Amino acid sequence: MGGVHATARIAARADGRGGTSLPVLESDGPLALRRTRGTGAEARVLLVGAMSGPLGGDRFAVEADVGDGARLRVGSAAATIALPGQTKDDARYDVRLSVADGGELHWLPEPLISAKGSDLTVATRVALDAGARLVLREEQVLGRTGEEPGRLGSRLVVRIAGRVVLDQELACGPGAPGGWDGPAVLAGHRAVGQLVIVRPEFAQRPAESAMLAEGACVMPLAGPAALVTAVAPDGLRLRRALDEALTELDIR
């Protein structure tokens, strides 16, 4: 099978002085990792795409492991654009995250844009210990301005102390099951996103189900976690809705 195969890896550990060290910061091929200035105990990493893609046939993966007492915030320098490749093979992007008791991870990449003719499957798997903290944002935009989308499949699985609290899939674009653009799913919108928020204190004071903004709602999960889901006409309004949700939930 053709295409580029690349895996980038991050490990964050408490440095014993009230901060966070990064003993592993391993870039690979088009996946370039750059440490940026952090604040307080938090280390910050930026994922910089060194090439276009993912293209058809590419296999990308990013792994992050956060230890006890470490705090890590990961973002990206720009949106990821799924593009058609020279072959008809699909592309795959895997994200694997783990956070130990007392660790905290903010996973806040820029949107994924599904360009016309692309075929991408994204899988995000998160494993958290019972006392871990997480803020995870996913944003998907179907097509660039005035463009039909490619095929996009995504799966998000979150486990806390070995227990699955969220396992959901979404398929959009050509070849997706019928109804993906209907009133029960996207209802004609072209941007969809979600936040997964895990806080140990949710075990005693769960988040309440509520509408947060137009097209956005919060739902408690079966664990110390909450899920915010939003749809919007475009990526800008989607980001605004998710940012408002974080403010409403008092998550920093």
Side-chain angles (χ1 to χ4, degrees), residues 7-244:
T7 300
R9 296 180 174 88
I10 309 167
R13 299 290 184 267
D15 64 7
R17 304 186 302 275
T20 298
S21 65
L22 299 175
V24 177
L25 192 63
E26 183 179 315
S27 303
D28 189 13
L31 302 174
L33 299 171
R34 300 287 183 265
R35 182 166 189 169
T36 61
R37 185 182 298 275
T39 58
E42 182 182 77
R44 296 191 177 191
V45 173
L46 203 61
L47 179 60
V48 180
M51 296 168 52
S52 297
L55 309 176
D58 288 351
R59 298 290 184 267
F60 291 174
V62 181
E63 300 175 355
D65 177 55
V66 181
D68 182 10
R71 297 182 60 189
L72 176 65
R73 180 180 296 257
V74 180
S76 57
T80 297
I81 304 178
L83 297 166
Q86 296 190 0
T87 73
K88 292 186 178 181
D89 295 329
D90 65 334
R92 186 170 182 90
Y93 202 131
D94 291 315
V95 177
R96 296 182 285 268
L97 311 174
S98 59
V99 187
D101 280 320
E104 182 167 358
L105 173 62
H106 287 231
W107 187 263
L108 303 169
E110 293 302 304
L112 168 64
I113 301 173
S114 174
K116 182 177 181 180
S118 63
D119 186 352
L120 175 65
T121 299
V122 181
T124 302
R125 291 177 171 83
V126 186
L128 307 170
D129 287 346
R133 295 173 174 268
L134 173 74
V135 178
L136 180 148
R137 181 180 68 211
E138 285 192 343
E139 297 171 310
Q140 297 163 353
V141 180
L142 305 182
R144 293 167 290 194
T145 302
E147 177 185 64
E148 290 299 311
R151 194 204 70 82
L152 177 62
S154 65
R155 184 178 182 186
L156 173 60
V157 181
V158 179
R159 291 181 172 86
I160 301 177
R163 179 187 180 190
V164 176
V165 300
L166 178 66
D167 187 345
Q168 68 176 26
E169 295 185 60
L170 178 65
C172 304
W180 67 269
D181 204 20
V185 187
L186 296 187
H189 291 96
R190 283 295 176 266
V192 58
Q194 55 200 351
L195 294 164
V196 179
I197 303 162
V198 179
R199 289 286 184 270
E201 53 265 32
F202 282 166
Q204 301 299 323
R205 299 185 303 278
E208 297 182 358
S209 300
M211 294 297 297
L212 297 177
E214 184 178 357
C217 66
V218 60
M219 297 174 290
L221 299 175
L227 173 67
V228 176
T229 302
V231 294
D234 54 53
L236 180 62
R237 279 177 278 191
L238 177 68
R239 174 65 60 84
R240 186 180 301 134
L242 294 178
D243 284 348
E244 289 176 4

